[in-house]
Amino acid sequence: MTTSFHPATLKTGHVGLSVTDLDRSLPFYARVFGFETLAEGKDDSRRWAFLGRDGEIVLALWQQSAEGFATASAGLHHLSFQVDTLDEIAATEATLRELDTEFVYDGVVAHAEGAASGGIFFKDPDGIRLELYVPTGAEGAPAPPGQEPTCGFF
């Protein structure tokens, strides 16, 4: 009989994303999410950056892709960040619009019909799908038609 050990405490450490142009991605993530660059590799052949807040790494960007995000390939579906209020989402949405960011849906949408959670869905400069959501407060927001969650097939 095989036994498995599961740590009592387990949380996501950070997420690593491959990007095509670090000089384009760094200012996007800094402006949209308020991330600071905590460390950076500037060797032209091996560019990378660790982004985060209060000294904790949240996101690692690796400049190693020749093409943008491919939804047809296995891997990351989308990256989601939670905030506390719809006001935070509204402020972020305004910033994204100033940056001419591509949105998946127009404005705040609920995760499903009648759901209390919801947010905005958009793409970074490489087309990586991102979500900013609140766990409650989106009860009045519309949900795209269909049975799957809003953050599903987009």
Side-chain angles (χ1 to χ4, degrees):
M1 181 169 136
T2 303
T3 59
S4 297
F5 171 77
H6 301 283
T9 303
L10 183 67
K11 66 179 190 174
T12 302
H14 68 270
V15 174
L17 299 176
S18 293
V19 299
T20 60
D21 183 349
L22 193 60
D23 292 329
R24 180 179 63 171
S25 295
L26 270 174
F28 175 85
Y29 282 96
R31 183 150 179 221
V32 172
F33 297 108
F35 290 142
E36 303 167 57
T37 301
L38 302 176
E40 184 174 358
K42 297 183 179 184
D43 180 340
D44 284 341
S45 65
R46 298 180 69 79
R47 302 254 347 254
W48 56 270
F50 290 162
L51 307 178
R53 290 184 175 175
D54 303 320
E56 283 195 41
I57 298 170
V58 175
L59 196 62
L61 301 178
W62 305 93
Q63 182 176 295
Q64 61 185 19
S65 297
E67 298 177 14
F69 185 70
T71 58
S73 297
L76 179 75
H77 180 273
H78 73 284
L79 177 57
S80 177
F81 293 100
Q82 178 180 320
V83 295
D84 294 329
T85 68
L86 284 172
D87 289 341
E88 292 171 282
I89 289 179
T92 303
E93 182 180 4
T95 298
L96 291 165
R97 293 202 184 279
E98 287 175 13
L99 295 170
D100 291 324
T101 303
E102 181 183 346
F103 284 84
V104 177
Y105 306 111
D106 189 32
V108 173
V109 294
H111 281 134
E113 199 61 48
S117 62
I120 55 175
F121 297 83
F122 54 97
K123 297 180 180 182
D124 87 342
D126 283 306
I128 297 171
R129 300 180 298 190
L130 301 168
E131 172 187 6
L132 187 67
Y133 81 98
V134 290
T136 61
E139 291 89 346
Q147 297 299 316
E148 69 279 349
T150 300
C151 59
F153 297 98
F154 65 94

